[in-house]
Amino acid sequence: METITIPRGFRVTPEQFEQLAQAEQLARMELTKDGELIIMSPTGGTAGRKNSRLTQQLRNWADRDGTGEVFDSSTVFALPNGARRSPDASWIKLERWNQLTQAQQDGFPPLAPDFVIELISPSDLKNQRYEDLQAKMQEYLDNGVQLGWLIEPDTKTVEIYRSGQQVKILNNPQTLSGEDVLPGFILDLSEIL
């Protein structure tokens, strides 16, 4: 089998992205609003374990709360700007999710989540610049996300992104609050940072 190297900045259409995603189910991919294809490296064990803890805590809260749906890092959302993005963990209000058709729910949901978490892994820092991840968080906000957390375990920092507000940086927080977007959700960071 012949292999190809995809250069940084390689561009495809949203339709081509969907064909690639169906054909190459082992690769995690994203598509920027400008059509740049991003191949994402798999995470290692430490990052995978931490991401599992994030999703577990969010899922447990959502099961008790009952007002929304939780998605893991394998879910790709078709954002309003045309990008196809896959946050590490996300949550959507139930009424917004239920407005989608079954086909939209089964495919790449055509909306931005209400809440997203991005956990920075060593492979993220190796293959992307930190500024790219910050731009991705801003893109989420620009497309309708209300609250987002960019978590950097190595430096024990969290950047909090809120719609219409400046980014807030926390150093070594023990917990994070879901505020009014996820009322009652408190993320315990003891096994994350």
Side-chain angles (χ1 to χ4, degrees), residues 79-168:
L79 300 182
N81 71 352
R84 305 297 191 261
R85 294 295 193 170
S86 182
D88 288 323
S90 55
W91 179 86
I92 298 173
K93 290 179 186 175
L94 196 56
E95 60 266 16
R96 294 183 65 227
W97 177 250
N98 289 337
Q99 289 176 356
L100 299 177
T101 67
Q102 188 63 52
Q104 290 172 322
Q105 290 178 354
D106 289 344
F108 300 144
L111 50 68
D114 295 288
F115 169 72
V116 298
I117 301 174
E118 288 287 353
L119 176 67
I120 299 175
S121 68
S123 63
D124 286 332
L125 293 176
K126 178 181 174 187
N127 297 312
Q128 297 182 38
R129 292 185 330 221
Y130 193 77
E131 296 82 20
D132 292 338
L133 297 169
Q134 291 172 315
K136 182 178 176 182
M137 294 300 293
Q138 186 58 53
E139 179 179 48
Y140 286 137
L141 291 181
D142 294 344
N143 280 273
V145 169
Q146 298 299 304
L147 177 65
W149 298 335
L150 180 60
I151 301 174
E152 216 299 29
D154 286 348
T155 60
K156 297 187 182 306
T157 59
V158 176
E159 293 183 13
I160 300 175
Y161 292 75
R162 296 179 187 98
S163 181
Q165 297 183 30
Q166 293 289 330
V167 176
K168 182 176 182 180

